[in-house]
């Protein structure tokens, strides 16, 4: 999409720089004149929000690292010191812990938008897969960050999640000992999690660069799913997308700030304000809300190895979505059946999340099994079959026609 | 331009030999990078055997001691608990093992096991669950009075630590 830059440096210094490092030209062609489909709706603003959240997490995280001590004897108290003694420490920590929730919220909306409008289809498969890799990196980073306060939930989350690897036949136990650096979760574990929690966000930044690069190679999808064909179908990124993104970002910040200032512990668990105790498991352990659907899938399977494999498969299967969906029509706006199955899928995911927070007993387990079955059936049965049997609506000839035609009819 | 020949040349040999040495060197570099994550010398040293005095443990009482950071349950079982553990039809168990193989001969009342659920590593609660044994609150695995898995997602019985009786009232774990 973005051809050779049309950037014309104005002053002498920029002219000098542009001949040596054409960074201003790159920014200009990628974020100013870059053509975006003129019909993008608000669901397309979450990429910007995610970039913003990544920045917030990096800044607050680096600041928190200045006050945190990664040692089993001091970690919990250093968090309390941040909360009580460090200037604005409470604010920075609440921004970071609630920031993780908002980051995942934005990521899930972003992914569901991609699923609704078929944004993963040819030629955007690599763009989509990079997104799945980003989700995996976020899950790992979020998990390791949750361990750092070294409360009861931290400790037992670390124990349960590292024990997932013990399901691997033969080498499982050795792998877990290697992950722990000991015979149980302990100080070496906390130290390495801290190191990796600091590292992974920068890996995320790197993959985000690839994600944006791939996006600018193939261009944005849009609500019609029809590729832009002429100048009439696009508008310049700045000011159109920039202003729209900024507006939604401010709205998103209101929600974020509301949690930070009024409900800072709403998405956490009181048990994590009890220092880690290797002798007692809390009676009801649950992960953070953004892992609950995956946790429900893990618990739904009565076999350990199969449960762990289902958990992994529930995320990895997303990477195969471009090939599992056999329909050639991208947008659900023109796929009457898929649109219904999409919303059923959303309800199933929310339902799994709800079940993940419930105790693993009785009717909850049965319900979790049904929904787990449906989750996989959506990808492995429904999507491939829909592509063959669904009668799609006629696509507009172009983006501008889809916008202008109904208005003309009204006149 | 060198003529391309089907015969391997001395240059081909040098390429392959250089590449091989480089690959072996890169692989060797991984050894310390991976091995540093395994338990260090002090962690291994701290995992030495411990001795536990059983005298103060009353019948029906379960005590918890730590060995290698793992909780070891020492259950002074009652006659009823032993009978329950022995009257089970072994074929009905997910991980069949007779109770006699899970205690030391002549010390049937002492059940020593690692109190870590074999599902995902939580610590089960003693004297609870449908089998009056151990119940894991995390994902609902139920163990009987011999620590054998009876129901739930755990794949195996609670593991036994290596231990021996030094006298009738003293054991060494490890």
């Amino acid at each position: 999409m973005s051809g050779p830059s049309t950037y014309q440096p104005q002053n002498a210094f920029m002219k000098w720089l542009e001949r040596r490092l054409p960074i201003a030209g790159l920014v200009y062609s990628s974020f100013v004149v870059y053509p975006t489909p003129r019909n993008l709706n608000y669901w397309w603003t979450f990429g910007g929000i995610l970039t913003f959240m990544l920045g917030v997490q990096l800044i607050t995280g680096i600041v928190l690292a200045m006050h945190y001590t990664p040692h089993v004897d001091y970690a919990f108290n250093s968090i309390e010191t941040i909360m009580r003694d460090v200037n604005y420490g409470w604010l920075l920590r609440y921004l970071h812990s609630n920031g993780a929730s908002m980051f995942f919220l934005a990521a899930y909306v972003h992914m569901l938008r991609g699923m609704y409008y078929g944004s993963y289809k040819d030629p955007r498969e690599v763009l989509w897969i990079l997104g799945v890799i980003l989700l995996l990196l976020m899950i790992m980073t979020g998990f390791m960050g949750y361990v750092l306060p070294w409360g009861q939930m931290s400790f037992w989350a670390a124990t349960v999640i590292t024990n997932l690897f013990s399901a691997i036949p033969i080498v499982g136990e050795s792998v877990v000992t290697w992950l722990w650096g000991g015979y149980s979760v302990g100080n070496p574990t906390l130290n390495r999690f801290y190191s990796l929690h600091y590292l992974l966000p920068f890996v995320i930044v790197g993959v985000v660069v690839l994600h944006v690069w791939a996006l600018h190679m193939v261009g944005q999808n849009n609500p019609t799913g029809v590729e832009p064909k002429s100048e009439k179908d696009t508008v310049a990124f700045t000011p159109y997308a920039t202003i729209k993104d900024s507006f939604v970002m401010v709205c998103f910040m209101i929600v974020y700030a509301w949690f930070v200032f009024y409900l800072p512990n709403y998405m956490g668990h009181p048990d994590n304000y009890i220092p880690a105790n290797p002798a007692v498991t809390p009676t009801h352990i649950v992960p953070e809300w953004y892992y609950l659907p995956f946790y429900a899938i893990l618990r739904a399977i009565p076999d350990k190895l199969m449960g762990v494999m289902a958990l992994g498969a529930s995320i990895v299967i997303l990477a195969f979505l471009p090939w599992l969906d056999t329909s050639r029509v991208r947008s659900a706006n023109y796929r009457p059946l898929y649109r219904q199955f999409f919303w059923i899928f959303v309800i199933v995911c929310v339902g799994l999340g709800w079940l993940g927070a419930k105790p693993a007993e009785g009717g909850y387990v049965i319900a979790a099994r049904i929904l787990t079955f449906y989750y996989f059936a959506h990808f492995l049965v429904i999507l491939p079959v829909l592509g063959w049997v669904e009668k799609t609506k006629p696509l507009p000839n172009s983006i501008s026609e889809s916008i202008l035609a109904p208005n003309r009819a009204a006149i | 331009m060198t003529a391309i020949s089907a015969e391997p040349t001395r240059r081909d040999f040098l390429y392959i030999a250089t590449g091989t040495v480089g690959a072996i060197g890169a692989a060797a570099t991984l050894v310390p990078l991976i091995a540093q994550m395994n338990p260090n010398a002090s962690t291994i040293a701290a995992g030495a055997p411990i001795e536990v005095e059983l005298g103060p443990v009353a019948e029906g009482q379960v005590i918890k001691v730590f060995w290698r950071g793992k909780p070891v349950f020492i259950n002074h079982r009652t006659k009823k608990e032993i009978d329950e553990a022995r009257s089970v039809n072994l074929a009905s168990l997910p991980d069949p093992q007779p109770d006699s193989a899970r205690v030391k001969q002549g010390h049937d009342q002492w059940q020593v096991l690692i109190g870590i659920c074999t599902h995902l590593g939580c610590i089960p609660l003693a004297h609870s669950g449908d089998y009056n044994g151990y119940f894991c609150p995390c994902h609902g695995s139920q163990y009987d009075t011999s620590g054998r898995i009876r129901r739930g997602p755990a794949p195996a019985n609670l593991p036994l630590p290596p231990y021996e009786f030094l006298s009738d009232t003293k054991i060494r774990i490890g």
Side-chain angles (χ1 to χ4, degrees):
Chain A
M1 296 289 293
S2 46
S5 182
T6 54
Y7 175 65
Q8 296 295 334
Q10 295 304 312
N11 67 50
F13 172 73
M14 290 312 288
K15 282 178 185 158
W16 179 88
L17 181 66
E18 194 66 9
R19 281 196 302 275
R20 285 156 181 85
L21 178 72
I23 190 165
L26 179 72
V27 170
Y28 184 78
S29 59
S30 307
F31 301 105
V32 180
V33 292
Y34 180 72
T36 69
R38 62 188 284 179
N39 59 339
L40 295 187
N41 58 31
Y42 281 115
W43 299 112
W44 260 266
T45 59
F46 281 80
I49 288 171
L50 284 163
T51 314
F52 168 74
M53 286 317 303
L54 180 58
V56 169
Q57 293 301 82
L58 277 166
I59 292 167
T60 53
I62 288 167
V63 173
L64 288 168
M66 296 178 187
H67 304 280
Y68 170 77
T69 315
H71 186 281
V72 289
D73 294 337
Y74 307 107
F76 188 87
N77 287 338
S78 73
I79 296 287
E80 287 309 303
T81 304
I82 289 170
M83 293 301 290
R84 291 152 199 266
D85 296 349
V86 174
N87 300 325
Y88 294 101
W90 59 272
L91 176 63
L92 293 162
R93 174 163 179 257
Y94 281 153
L95 280 171
H96 197 72
S97 59
N98 286 284
S101 281
M102 302 314 282
F103 202 162
F104 273 98
L105 175 68
Y108 288 147
V109 173
H110 192 64
M111 287 168 64
L112 287 171
R113 189 269 293 154
M115 291 167 86
Y116 186 87
Y117 292 109
S119 300
Y120 45 81
K121 289 185 193 178
D122 181 20
R124 298 186 179 81
E125 303 94 326
V126 171
L127 175 62
W128 174 261
I129 291 169
L130 286 167
V132 176
I133 292 169
L134 283 169
L135 176 69
L136 274 170
L137 287 169
M138 279 174 66
I139 288 173
M140 292 198 284
T141 311
F143 157 66
M144 294 199 207
Y146 192 59
V147 172
L148 301 184
W150 211 242
Q152 271 290 65
M153 283 297 183
S154 301
F155 182 89
W156 291 102
T159 301
V160 168
I161 301 302
T162 49
N163 262 304
L164 293 177
F165 293 91
S166 70
I168 304 169
I170 303 164
V171 294
E173 291 299 327
S174 315
V175 169
V176 173
T177 303
W178 178 75
L179 287 173
W180 287 336
Y183 304 110
S184 55
V185 172
N187 199 48
T189 324
L190 178 58
N191 267 300
R192 62 190 56 179
F193 277 20
Y194 178 59
S195 169
L196 294 173
H197 183 69
Y198 207 119
L199 164 74
L200 286 180
F202 296 97
V203 178
I204 292 179
V205 170
V207 181
V208 164
V209 169
L210 296 181
H211 192 65
V212 173
W213 186 10
L215 173 70
H216 284 227
M217 193 65 207
V218 295
Q220 284 162 295
N221 186 27
N222 66 82
T224 63
V226 177
E227 295 291 342
K229 287 172 182 155
S230 67
E231 295 273 306
K232 278 164 66 186
D233 291 342
T234 60
V235 290
F237 191 90
T238 302
Y240 298 96
T242 327
I243 292 298
K244 195 166 183 164
D245 282 2
S246 306
F247 170 68
V248 179
M249 213 178 283
V250 170
C251 296
F252 191 81
M253 278 188 235
I254 293 173
V255 179
Y256 181 20
W258 183 61
F259 275 104
V260 168
F261 290 106
Y262 295 99
L263 296 165
N265 288 303
Y266 183 74
M267 290 179 286
H269 301 284
D271 276 23
N272 219 25
Y273 284 99
I274 302 168
N277 179 357
V280 181
T281 307
T283 47
H284 185 50
I285 68 166
V286 278
E288 295 286 82
W289 69 266
Y290 36 86
Y291 301 141
L292 287 174
F294 306 115
Y295 191 61
I297 289 173
L298 167 74
R299 296 195 307 182
I301 314 281
D303 179 82
K304 179 173 170 177
L305 180 59
M306 294 304 289
V308 174
M309 282 170 61
L311 169 70
S314 66
I315 299 167
V316 172
I317 201 168
L318 293 168
F320 295 93
L321 186 53
W323 296 277
L324 291 169
D325 184 347
T326 52
S327 176
R328 303 185 68 174
V329 175
R330 289 201 187 103
S331 170
N333 284 350
Y334 303 95
R335 299 184 61 190
L337 283 176
Y338 172 69
R339 184 158 55 182
Q340 294 172 35
F341 282 110
F342 170 84
W343 288 111
I344 295 172
F345 177 75
V346 173
I347 293 165
V348 165
C349 289
V350 173
L352 279 170
W354 180 74
L355 289 165
K358 294 285 165 194
E361 57 194 30
Y364 295 130
V365 176
I366 296 162
R369 278 180 198 160
I370 294 167
L371 295 192
T372 299
F373 178 80
Y374 187 89
Y375 180 94
F376 287 104
H378 176 83
F379 292 106
L380 297 174
V381 181
I382 294 169
L383 287 184
V385 172
L386 266 190
W388 298 319
V389 301
E390 186 176 41
K391 190 170 173 348
T392 55
K393 291 189 200 165
L395 291 172
N397 288 320
S398 71
I399 293 171
S400 50
E401 188 197 275
S402 77
I403 301 164
L404 300 175
N407 296 342
R408 273 201 203 111
I411 299 163
Chain B
M1 283 289 285
T2 330
I4 297 162
S5 100
E7 287 293 302
T9 62
R10 199 168 62 160
R11 173 119 329 168
D12 290 334
F13 170 77
L14 287 172
Y15 277 142
I16 292 167
T18 311
T20 309
V21 170
I24 292 169
T29 313
L30 286 178
V31 172
L33 287 174
I34 291 170
Q36 55 83 20
M37 280 178 69
N38 267 320
N40 68 18
S42 69
T43 307
I44 294 169
I50 56 165
E51 289 180 6
V52 183
E53 198 68 51
L54 299 180
V57 186
E59 193 174 284
Q61 188 186 1
V62 178
I63 65 159
K64 245 184 240 181
V65 296
F66 275 85
W67 173 68
R68 292 189 165 183
K70 296 176 183 179
V72 174
F73 289 176
I74 301 175
N75 185 358
H76 191 169
R77 298 190 293 183
T78 58
K79 175 108 187 19
K80 178 169 164 283
E81 286 177 321
I82 299 169
D83 291 344
E84 275 174 15
R86 305 229 148 155
S87 60
V88 176
N89 173 17
L90 286 186
S92 70
L93 297 175
D95 183 8
Q97 204 178 12
D99 184 60
S100 55
R102 297 180 54 79
V103 293
K104 299 285 180 203
Q105 196 161 20
H107 302 283
D108 294 348
Q109 73 275 37
W110 294 107
Q111 168 77 67
V112 181
L113 40 77
I114 296 178
I116 293 181
C117 180
T118 55
H119 182 223
L120 294 175
C122 294
I123 304 207
L125 307 167
H127 289 310
S128 48
D130 295 349
Y131 301 92
N132 193 29
Y134 306 88
F135 172 73
C136 181
C138 291
H139 308 99
S141 292
Q142 312 237 16
Y143 300 88
D144 64 14
T145 54
S146 189
R148 290 173 298 201
I149 181 65
R150 301 295 288 271
R151 187 140 47 82
N157 301 335
L158 290 175
L160 310 176
Y163 72 99
E164 58 182 340
F165 277 86
L166 300 176
S167 71
D168 275 353
T169 58
K170 198 173 194 180
I171 58 170
R172 181 165 63 200
I173 301 171

